[in-house]
Amino acid sequence: MDRIIKSEIKEEITGIPSVTLHGIGKSQLDDPHGEEDLDDDLTEEDLEQSTYDDVDTEDSDITLTQAETARSMPLSDAPMRKFPFKLKQNECGNILTVHHTIKEAGHRLRIQIAACCFNELSNKLVVIDKRGNVFIFDFVHKRYWRLGFRLPKAKLIRPSPLHNSDYIVGNKTGGITIIDVDSSIMGARGEVGNATLDELSWSNRLQNPRFSNALMRFGSEAFLVNLHTLAVSHQLDFDESRYTLKFAAFLPNSDQFFIGFSNDSLHVWSSHSLCTLRMAQPIKARNRKLRLLPVEESVPEIVLRGTDDSDLEDDLTFDCQDHDFADGLLLCYCFTPDGNKMCLSTLDGYLLVLCVASFDLEKLYRLADFTLRQMALLAQPKERIVFGITTRNQAVMLDLTNTDHKLIVQRSNAISLTLSRDGKLLSVTSRCGEVNVWSTCRLFNALQVQTRCLNQIKSTFKQPKPLPHCSVGGGVSQELRHLLKPERLKAMLKEYGCYPEKYRFLIWTSLLDLPCNGPQFQALIKLGAPLMVKNQAKKLKIRNDAQRRAVIKIWSCLSQWCKVLAHADFMPLLIYPFVKQLPKNSLVSFEVVATLILNHFQLWFEFHPLPPSNYLAMCDNILQHCDEELCQFYNSQDIAPKDFAWSLLSTAFSEVLEEQHWLSLWDNIVSEPPWFPVFLVVAYNVIHREIVIRLPDKRSVLMYFRDQNPVDISKLLFKARKLMAKCELALHPQRFMEHFRPIPKGVYPKFLKYPSEWIEKQEEQAVSLLKHNQEIDARIRHLELEEVQIKERLENGLKQEEHARRLREMEKLYQDTIHREEERITIQRKMLLTYQMEVRRRKSEVITKLHESEQRRKVLEMEKDIDLLMHSIERERRRHNQQMQLAEDEIRNQEMELLAQRYYSETAGAPLAQKYYDNIQKLCSQRDQLQQKLRDMTMEQLRSPATSSVQCNPQLVDIENSILEIQREFTEIITTETTARGYRSTYS
């Protein structure tokens, strides 16, 4: 793996390939390898849609001919040629653009860029295209060159931390290669993974060859690889079906690395022990912070699309089909240059800033209309500038301190970015096959200039008013009001059926003649929300918090303007559709509803809190006049006008119509007289009569007027106008309703068509109830205090009782324990007695066996003694035999001598019996002792019990037999001795 591999390229030149550098000057470098990987090349049609059109020719351009191209190929056996280039001097920040365009078979092909990076000193740019050609751009000497080998299928390149001129290249098949760009040498190579190399990082312990590990992630697998040998030291296996590996990288300036999973959890591991040190859940921390966020505070929001960029809305709208939600919400991450902060981008449009030391959430930003899939933090100023690639392939520059300040660096086709180590250069790789190098200093200056311009524009158009300027009312000039005459507007409405959406509320403002009384509206806001509104606002079921707050605000102002509106339960349903259309203009919403109450809804509160009987009676009379059969059906089902008319009116038709139909309907209502809603209700019933009369019961009819049903809005409006035109004067609502009167400028007139006495009584009752409630609350508090005291006493008593109970339980427990111990001791005593009996039995057996053993030992000793005695007797016998033989010889000698003496002397010697008398007596005494011992042993055996004799070992029997044999032999010896002595006596 460590040997140097040099490649010799000998292929036919098919064209004049080039690397074009856009700027004041451009250079071209040839590529003889134009016949491979054509799937990655862009054709001429693709180039027409790319930025190739900006290529221009100048006098300073250097165009290589075919001969020059052949001579300039940097082969391994030839020195590399370096070519000059110049940088752009414009102020937009783009200092260099690199793309590789070749000509083959008469067509232009652009080879896309696969990977690029800056070196550690930030003075060189290394670019690899998808055919494997490696180009190096030196920004100091303004020279570029191509290496003498290719790295096909390259995906990622990073500068090596071991040597300044070395780079680590990872391909799509999991292979790793180290190259030296200064010497054009291909170094160590190795196959580490089986997929594309996605991430590469290393620890701060690179000087030690044993611990110079790099963390490489190949898809859902990660490896710790030694940078010197490219050998895998550890493989991080993770086998879990619910979530997989998503991120893996070393923390900056640390020997610890973090791993992110698709369940949005982050784990910090030690590279020494490979154990988890800590864990974090950024998404849960974000959700918790959003839940605990006070109402008066809000999350800083970053909006990329301006208010006038409606044409970009489709490009910036989030498309869930481009992302896999099973991979979690975390999209990408980046660290600050000092490594103290970590920035995370989420799929649902949030930017999280975490502390690396503890992984605690420090800051939170909302990305309103875009998401970031790649980003990098700029070191200066104060690590607040973020460069990112959006999911719509836009390169953007964001200011986290001032969220309103942003800059779109590249509007389309951006797929990846790389930031130099010193933060001065930014490279953006485009989908069209080029790399743009930007100066971050110029981009920051452009952002500052844009910010100053926007501030000047805002200060120029800013008008000092107590309320935000109303764009659809109040500020409408008289000239514009002249242009928006009711006759012209009605003609437009008759022609198109509705007003243009962009100018709808401006037209409403003109038709209703809204005064835009800002100070008076502010005064109503300062009065706050009435108690009744506060209590009923808790029951509102509006999901959008901003719309819910706007509805409560408008309802509170209306209630302060007219007291009866605070007691009307249907007011939120009536206000909500208008507030939804004007969420950021509360003044216009308030004045629209107030104008409608003064004119169109003037009879709605006559009998409050009952439904408006007179108003509903007009609807019923007109319906009975034009459709008597439907009225008979309603009477048969006991359906009153409040069921088929009030359900439509109290919600302003918002429940039965979809949004566009509702807007068209109210375009016509504000253009017609105040009694036009009466005919709309009748027309709605008449149009749906065939469906209504076929409903089975009253409940179905009531639900029908609460649900959205298909309706032809033009037919409904035509029917209502026809009924209004043909209505008899006796039934016409204009007899009972006043004509339209707008709200005057500078004042809100009082609305008094409601039972004020009842309201006053209600308020008095409310005040008395409030006082009564306060008294009840005071008594409740007093009772609660007493209850607390009683609870304390009860708690103390219960504690004492519990203490006594526990003491009793403890005493009982101890007694039970003692009883169990006594029983256990008794059982143990019984067991001890049993054991003692068993021991005694075993002891008796052992004693018996010992006795038998002792007897055997004694018998063995006796046998030994007997054997010794037998040996001694045998020796004595032999000695006696010898002595007897000697005596016999001596006797014979003596006999011979006696015979001789008889013949020669008359003297006689002592007799032989007297001479051996003592020895014979000793033998006799020993014989008597032996016989006595034998008798004692025989008597002892006779005295022993029969059982013992029966149980006696056969060896004892043998011993006894041997003793008897010895006794017999001894008797024979004695007999022999007696015979010999008698013989000797006789002979004597």
Side-chain angles (χ1 to χ4, degrees):
M1 297 296 293
D2 295 334
R3 64 187 181 91
I4 299 175
I5 301 175
K6 296 183 179 180
S7 61
E8 297 183 358
I9 304 175
K10 297 180 179 178
E11 298 180 8
E12 181 181 358
I13 301 176
T14 58
I16 307 180
S18 65
V19 175
T20 304
L21 307 180
H22 292 271
I24 292 181
K26 302 184 295 299
S27 301
Q28 294 179 345
L29 185 64
D30 57 295
D31 176 21
H33 312 291
E35 65 272 14
E36 295 184 6
D37 289 343
L38 295 180
D39 293 339
D40 294 332
D41 300 339
L42 299 178
T43 60
E44 187 172 358
E45 291 76 7
D46 298 328
L47 293 178
E48 292 178 358
Q49 300 176 0
S50 66
T51 58
Y52 183 77
D53 296 332
D54 61 358
V55 178
D56 53 358
T57 58
E58 299 182 9
D59 296 337
S60 60
D61 294 348
I62 300 176
T63 304
L64 300 178
T65 64
Q66 186 170 357
E68 291 172 341
T69 301
R71 291 195 301 269
S72 64
M73 291 193 321
L75 298 177
S76 59
D77 55 353
M80 291 182 299
R81 288 193 58 184
K82 298 183 180 181
F83 302 92
F85 67 90
K86 292 183 179 181
L87 300 178
K88 296 181 183 180
Q89 301 297 326
N90 55 6
E91 296 299 328
C92 68
N94 184 204
I95 62 174
L96 182 67
T97 300
V98 179
H99 63 77
H100 191 180
T101 304
I102 64 175
K103 290 183 179 180
E104 288 185 354
H107 298 283
R108 289 178 300 171
L109 295 177
R110 176 170 296 177
I111 304 174
Q112 291 183 315
I113 303 300
C116 68
C117 74
F118 297 96
N119 64 343
E120 289 292 329
L121 300 178
S122 303
N123 56 9
K124 289 182 181 178
L125 175 67
V126 182
V127 177
I128 304 178
D129 63 16
K130 290 195 174 182
R131 291 188 178 181
N133 301 302
V134 184
F135 301 94
I136 295 89
F137 298 85
D138 190 343
F139 293 100
V140 176
H141 300 93
K142 304 295 190 299
R143 295 289 187 272
Y144 71 93
W145 63 94
R146 185 175 69 86
L147 300 185
F149 51 82
R150 294 196 309 163
L151 298 174
K153 299 182 180 180
K155 181 63 177 178
L156 183 142
I157 181 171
R158 291 289 184 271
S160 174
L162 302 179
H163 302 286
N164 292 333
S165 62
D166 288 354
Y167 290 80
I168 303 173
V169 182
N171 58 23
K172 295 181 179 180
T173 60
I176 305 297
T177 307
I178 297 179
I179 61 174
D180 186 348
V181 299
D182 291 344
S183 304
S184 185
I185 295 175
M186 185 183 299
R189 307 178 71 179
E191 295 292 332
V192 179
N194 299 321
T196 304
L197 177 61
D198 295 322
E199 291 183 76
L200 171 61
S201 59
W202 43 79
S203 65
N204 58 355
R205 303 181 64 188
L206 297 174
Q207 302 302 325
N208 190 347
R210 295 181 57 191
F211 299 102
S212 58
N213 285 332
L215 182 60
M216 302 180 183
R217 182 176 69 84
F218 302 86
S220 60
E221 296 180 345
F223 302 90
L224 286 174
V225 182
N226 190 294
L227 285 180
H228 292 274
T229 62
L230 293 184
V232 177
S233 59
H234 294 87
Q235 179 178 355
L236 304 181
D237 292 328
F238 182 76
D239 186 9
E240 180 63 44
S241 59
R242 293 176 297 171
Y243 41 88
T244 57
L245 187 66
K246 191 174 181 180
F247 304 126
F250 272 97
L251 297 177
N253 306 321
S254 173
D255 58 352
Q256 300 175 357
F257 59 90
F258 85 97
I259 292 178
F261 297 101
S262 58
N263 64 342
D264 297 328
S265 64
L266 302 180
H267 299 250
V268 178
W269 286 41
S270 171
S271 60
H272 306 292
S273 60
L274 294 181
C275 297
T276 303
L277 301 179
R278 60 184 182 276
M279 188 183 72
Q281 295 281 353
I283 299 299
K284 291 185 178 179
R286 180 203 69 181
N287 296 337
R288 181 169 59 253
K289 185 171 183 178
L290 291 176
R291 287 196 306 269
L292 300 178
L293 192 69
V295 180
E296 61 274 5
E297 296 184 10
S298 61
V299 177
E301 190 175 59
I302 303 175
V303 182
L304 195 61
R305 181 174 61 88
T307 55
D308 298 331
D309 297 337
S310 59
D311 56 334
L312 299 178
E313 185 173 3
D314 295 335
D315 295 334
L316 295 173
T317 304
F318 175 73
D319 188 3
C320 62
Q321 296 179 357
D322 296 339
H323 303 282
D324 186 2
F325 285 87
D327 290 339
L329 295 179
L330 296 179
L331 274 181
C332 63
Y333 69 91
C334 68
F335 293 97
T336 55
D338 58 4
N340 294 331
K341 300 290 186 296
M342 180 182 184
C343 194
L344 291 168
S345 173
T346 65
L347 191 61
D348 53 353
Y350 281 94
L351 203 62
L352 316 178
V353 179
L354 279 69
C355 176
V356 174
S358 60
F359 274 72
D360 293 335
L361 181 62
E362 292 188 349
K363 295 181 182 179
L364 180 63
Y365 300 91
R366 178 75 172 94
L367 308 181
D369 52 2
F370 68 101
T371 55
L372 294 177
R373 59 180 176 84
Q374 187 182 0
M375 55 185 175
L377 275 165
L378 192 63
Q380 296 294 335
K382 297 180 181 179
E383 300 172 350
R384 71 180 190 182
I385 302 299
V386 175
F387 290 98
I389 303 293
T390 67
T391 53
R392 294 301 179 188
N393 300 326
Q394 289 183 318
V396 296
M397 179 180 182
L398 308 176
D399 190 345
L400 298 183
T401 303
N402 301 313
T403 55
D404 294 335
H405 303 165
K406 64 268 184 184
L407 186 68
I408 298 180
V409 180
Q410 185 171 323
R411 287 196 171 272
S412 62
N413 293 328
I415 57 177
S416 66
L417 60 83
T418 305
L419 193 64
S420 63
R421 188 175 181 85
D422 59 2
K424 294 182 179 180
L425 297 177
L426 173 71
S427 68
V428 179
T429 304
S430 301
R431 192 182 300 275
C432 59
E434 64 184 23
V435 176
N436 293 298
V437 181
W438 303 79
S439 171
T440 57
C441 298
R442 297 181 184 178
L443 290 175
F444 184 75
N445 293 335
L447 178 64
Q448 295 294 98
V449 171
Q450 176 182 333
T451 302
R452 287 195 295 269
C453 292
L454 290 176
N455 292 336
Q456 291 178 1
I457 293 173
K458 289 181 181 179
S459 62
T460 302
F461 288 95
K462 184 177 180 181
Q463 298 181 7
K465 288 189 176 183
L467 280 178
H469 186 266
C470 177
S471 60
V472 294
V476 180
S477 62
Q478 292 297 327
E479 183 179 355
L480 187 59
R481 288 182 184 273
H482 179 72
L483 293 175
L484 299 177
K485 287 184 178 180
E487 294 79 10
R488 292 185 177 182
L489 295 175
K490 288 183 179 179
M492 182 192 304
L493 189 65
K494 184 177 181 182
E495 179 70 20
Y496 299 102
C498 63
Y499 295 125
E501 183 177 357
K502 188 174 183 180
Y503 305 101
R504 170 174 281 117
F505 293 103
L506 185 64
I507 294 173
W508 284 19
T509 302
S510 177
L511 288 174
L512 297 177
D513 198 7
L514 301 183
C516 245
N517 295 330
Q520 289 75 19
F521 181 64
Q522 282 284 16
L524 292 175
I525 291 177
K526 292 179 180 179
L527 293 176
L531 181 62
M532 186 68 67
V533 175
K534 290 182 180 179
N535 294 334
Q536 295 185 9
K538 299 176 182 178
K539 304 176 183 178
L540 292 182
K541 297 180 180 180
I542 300 177
R543 295 181 180 179
N544 192 314
D545 292 338
Q547 295 177 358
R548 183 175 179 274
R549 289 193 295 269
V551 169
I552 295 173
K553 179 181 178 181
I554 301 301
W555 191 13
S556 301
C557 295
L558 290 171
S559 302
Q560 296 292 352
W561 170 60
C562 181
K563 296 180 180 180
V564 71
L565 301 180
H567 301 269
D569 298 336
F570 63 88
M571 284 305 297
L573 300 176
L574 183 66
I575 297 170
Y576 175 70
F578 296 98
V579 171
K580 185 179 179 181
Q581 300 302 323
L582 293 167
K584 297 182 180 180
N585 203 326
S586 302
L587 175 59
V588 175
S589 300
F590 169 79
E591 292 190 349
V592 166
V593 178
T595 303
L596 293 176
I597 290 173
L598 287 172
N599 296 279
H600 299 72
F601 311 151
Q602 55 185 278
L603 300 180
W604 283 20
F605 304 94
E606 286 182 329
F607 304 101
H608 185 80
L610 299 175
S613 302
N614 292 337
Y615 197 89
L616 299 177
M618 290 188 292
C619 299
D620 190 23
N621 293 336
I622 297 174
L623 179 63
Q624 190 169 5
H625 177 73
C626 65
D627 197 338
E628 187 175 355
E629 182 181 357
L630 183 59
C631 289
Q632 291 177 357
F633 172 76
Y634 285 156
N635 293 332
S636 64
Q637 296 290 338
D638 194 17
I639 298 174
K642 67 182 183 62
D643 298 325
F644 65 83
W646 184 239
S647 59
L648 302 175
L649 295 169
S650 61
T651 59
F653 296 90
S654 61
E655 285 187 349
V656 296
L657 298 177
E658 56 94 15
E659 186 173 0
Q660 292 301 323
H661 288 173
W662 184 87
L663 291 171
S664 300
L665 179 71
W666 278 94
D667 286 342
N668 289 268
I669 290 177
V670 298
S671 303
E672 296 292 341
W675 48 81
F676 186 62
V678 176
F679 297 98
L680 282 175
V681 171
V682 177
Y684 188 86
N685 281 266
V686 172
I687 288 176
H688 294 86
R689 68 180 303 277
E690 297 299 332
I691 301 175
V692 172
I693 61 177
R694 287 173 172 81
L695 295 175
D697 51 13
K698 180 179 179 180
R699 181 178 175 276
S700 302
V701 175
L702 297 180
M703 292 301 297
Y704 187 80
F705 287 100
R706 289 290 182 183
D707 296 334
Q708 282 192 10
N709 302 292
V711 59
D712 188 350
I713 193 67
S714 59
K715 183 178 179 181
L716 175 65
L717 293 171
F718 176 78
K719 185 66 174 179
R721 287 192 174 91
K722 183 177 179 180
L723 290 174
M724 184 173 61
K726 294 184 178 182
C727 182
E728 297 180 1
L729 184 61
L731 301 176
H732 206 287
Q734 65 180 354
R735 294 181 53 198
F736 311 101
M737 297 179 65
E738 298 179 0
H739 290 271
F740 179 81
R741 289 187 302 177
I743 298 176
K745 186 71 175 178
V747 66
Y748 290 133
K750 283 292 182 181
F751 178 70
L752 301 175
K753 294 182 179 181
Y754 64 90
S756 57
E757 296 180 356
W758 179 86
I759 298 297
E760 292 176 358
K761 290 181 180 179
Q762 285 290 104
E763 292 181 349
E764 291 176 359
Q765 290 180 2
V767 171
S768 62
L769 287 175
L770 180 62
K771 292 181 180 179
H772 186 60
N773 289 334
Q774 291 177 352
E775 294 176 357
I776 292 174
D777 292 339
R779 292 183 62 185
I780 289 174
R781 285 194 297 271
H782 180 69
L783 292 175
E784 286 178 351
L785 291 175
E786 291 183 354
E787 184 180 3
V788 169
Q789 294 175 358
I790 293 172
K791 283 183 178 180
E792 289 179 355
R793 292 197 298 270
L794 181 61
E795 186 177 357
N796 293 332
L798 290 175
K799 285 182 179 178
Q800 294 176 359
E801 182 181 354
E802 183 69 17
H803 182 66
R805 184 180 64 80
R806 291 186 178 180
L807 286 176
R808 289 194 298 271
E809 290 179 356
M810 184 175 63
E811 182 179 358
K812 183 180 179 182
L813 179 62
Y814 286 153
Q815 290 178 356
D816 294 341
T817 304
I818 292 171
H819 181 67
R820 287 196 300 271
E821 288 295 323
E822 289 177 351
E823 291 180 351
R824 186 177 63 82
I825 290 172
T826 303
I827 294 172
Q828 288 182 351
R829 285 177 179 174
K830 292 180 179 179
M831 292 175 66
L832 181 60
L833 292 175
T834 305
Y835 289 157
Q836 287 178 350
M837 293 174 64
E838 182 69 20
V839 166
R840 281 203 257 348
R841 185 182 64 80
R842 292 183 180 181
K843 186 177 179 181
S844 62
E845 292 179 357
V846 170
I847 290 173
T848 303
K849 290 182 179 180
L850 287 175
H851 183 67
E852 293 176 356
S853 177
E854 186 67 22
Q855 287 182 354
R856 287 195 298 270
R857 185 182 63 80
K858 288 180 179 181
V859 169
L860 291 175
E861 289 180 355
M862 290 176 66
E863 286 181 351
K864 185 178 180 181
D865 294 340
I866 291 171
D867 290 338
L868 292 175
L869 182 59
M870 289 292 293
H871 288 302
S872 63
I873 293 171
E874 183 68 24
R875 284 196 302 271
E876 286 294 329
R877 186 178 65 81
R878 289 177 181 176
R879 186 175 59 80
H880 290 164
N881 289 336
Q882 290 176 0
Q883 287 178 359
M884 288 178 67
Q885 289 178 0
L886 291 173
E888 289 178 356
D889 292 339
E890 186 177 359
I891 289 170
R892 289 190 187 96
N893 291 332
Q894 286 179 2
E895 286 180 354
M896 293 300 293
E897 286 179 359
L898 287 176
L899 288 175
Q901 284 179 4
R902 281 179 182 177
Y903 290 104
Y904 298 104
S905 177
E906 290 295 330
T907 58
L912 185 60
Q914 184 179 358
K915 184 176 181 180
Y916 295 101
Y917 179 78
D918 295 332
N919 292 331
I920 292 172
Q921 288 296 326
K922 187 184 291 186
L923 288 174
C924 289
S925 62
Q926 290 180 358
R927 182 197 64 190
D928 295 337
Q929 290 177 3
L930 182 59
Q931 289 180 352
Q932 184 64 33
K933 287 182 180 181
L934 291 174
R935 291 191 194 96
D936 294 338
M937 290 176 63
T938 304
M939 293 302 293
E940 186 178 355
Q941 290 179 0
L942 293 175
R943 286 194 300 270
S944 61
T947 56
S948 300
S949 62
V950 174
Q951 298 177 357
C952 186
N953 198 343
Q955 295 179 358
L956 296 178
V957 178
D958 296 337
I959 293 171
E960 290 178 357
N961 294 330
S962 62
I963 291 172
L964 293 175
E965 183 66 27
I966 293 169
Q967 186 178 2
R968 185 181 59 78
E969 291 179 357
F970 187 71
T971 304
E972 290 179 355
I973 292 170
I974 292 174
T975 305
T976 305
E977 286 292 333
T978 305
T979 305
R981 191 170 58 246
Y983 173 77
R984 285 194 299 268
S985 299
T986 303
Y987 183 77
S988 301

